[in-house]
Amino acid sequence: MNWLKEIPIPLTNDEHWNKEDVIYSFRKREQASLPETPDFMHDIVLQWVIAPFVVHNNVSYRIATHDSPLKEYTSTILTNLFHSVREVYADGKLVEIRLEDLKPHIKDSYTKLADANKIAPLVTDFYFKESFGLSNQLDCKLFEMDMDKYIDQTTYHAETNHTRLWEYMAKSHLPNNEITVLPFNWVLNDRLLESPFLIFLSRYASKVVLTVNHNDLNVRAISFKALPL
């Protein structure tokens, strides 16, 4: 795997903590009881947001609200799909929306599409890989992708919905912050040269780092930088 290089795990530095006094408050948003089933087929952002609620239990999805179009999309499209929606305020300003407890009929609709292979390949690749034996012991190492070598060994077929997903991912986090996502049942090997999600990421992100459990080669996290849009 000449497209990866191990890097040291950074030491925690307390100087990077935000020492400003911020008062946080939470407010529960009331939701409509029975929303219509959304158009999963043609909205890759919906596919991306709902997928973790299908494969995991007790999920909380956090969306920053500094971007007005994203805030509007979240409020009008996403929030009614969940039983629990909480607004997070910092010093009285709305900074985040948290989605929890996906409504059962939304999950059922999504699952039927996934079973019929009608979910976007990069979403399927990230969330719906077959399970394998995971070690109970952790020995995590960091591997940074050599972007040039990875790109040289892969082929990317650009799609319009990829740009939309990237814009959503970048805007749903605070500007200039590192984004970390948790892939489901990923194994570190050269088959990742065929990964639709990693190929997509290599074309958009400026830096990609994999957190890997050395005991079972499970890719536990993928961290990357989103360039300003």
Side-chain angles (χ1 to χ4, degrees), residues 186-211:
W186 274 38
V187 181
L188 182 68
N189 54 39
D190 265 331
R191 292 186 65 183
L192 292 182
L193 288 168
E194 304 169 4
S195 162
F197 180 79
L198 206 57
I199 292 172
F200 154 77
L201 204 59
S202 70
R203 269 61 176 187
Y204 282 88
S206 60
K207 177 181 179 181
V208 179
V209 175
L210 309 182
T211 300

Side-chain angles (χ1 to χ4, degrees), residues 40-65:
F40 288 126
M41 281 281 292
H42 302 99
D43 191 337
I44 195 171
V45 171
L46 275 174
Q47 293 183 20
W48 178 260
V49 172
I50 301 301
F53 293 91
V54 175
V55 299
H56 295 292
N57 296 318
N58 303 318
V59 176
S60 178
Y61 198 98
R62 304 167 62 178
I63 302 172
T65 57

Side-chain angles (χ1 to χ4, degrees), residues 1 24 32-33 41 60-61 75 79 82 94 96 101 124 133 145 148 151 160 167 177 179 192 194 227:
M1 287 182 286
Y24 288 95
S33 57
M41 281 281 292
S60 178
Y61 198 98
S75 298
T79 57
F82 296 84
L94 179 64
E96 182 179 286
D101 193 11
T124 299
M145 288 177 55
D148 291 335
I151 290 173
T160 302
E167 290 177 348
N177 277 20
I179 299 172
L192 292 182
E194 304 169 4
L227 297 175

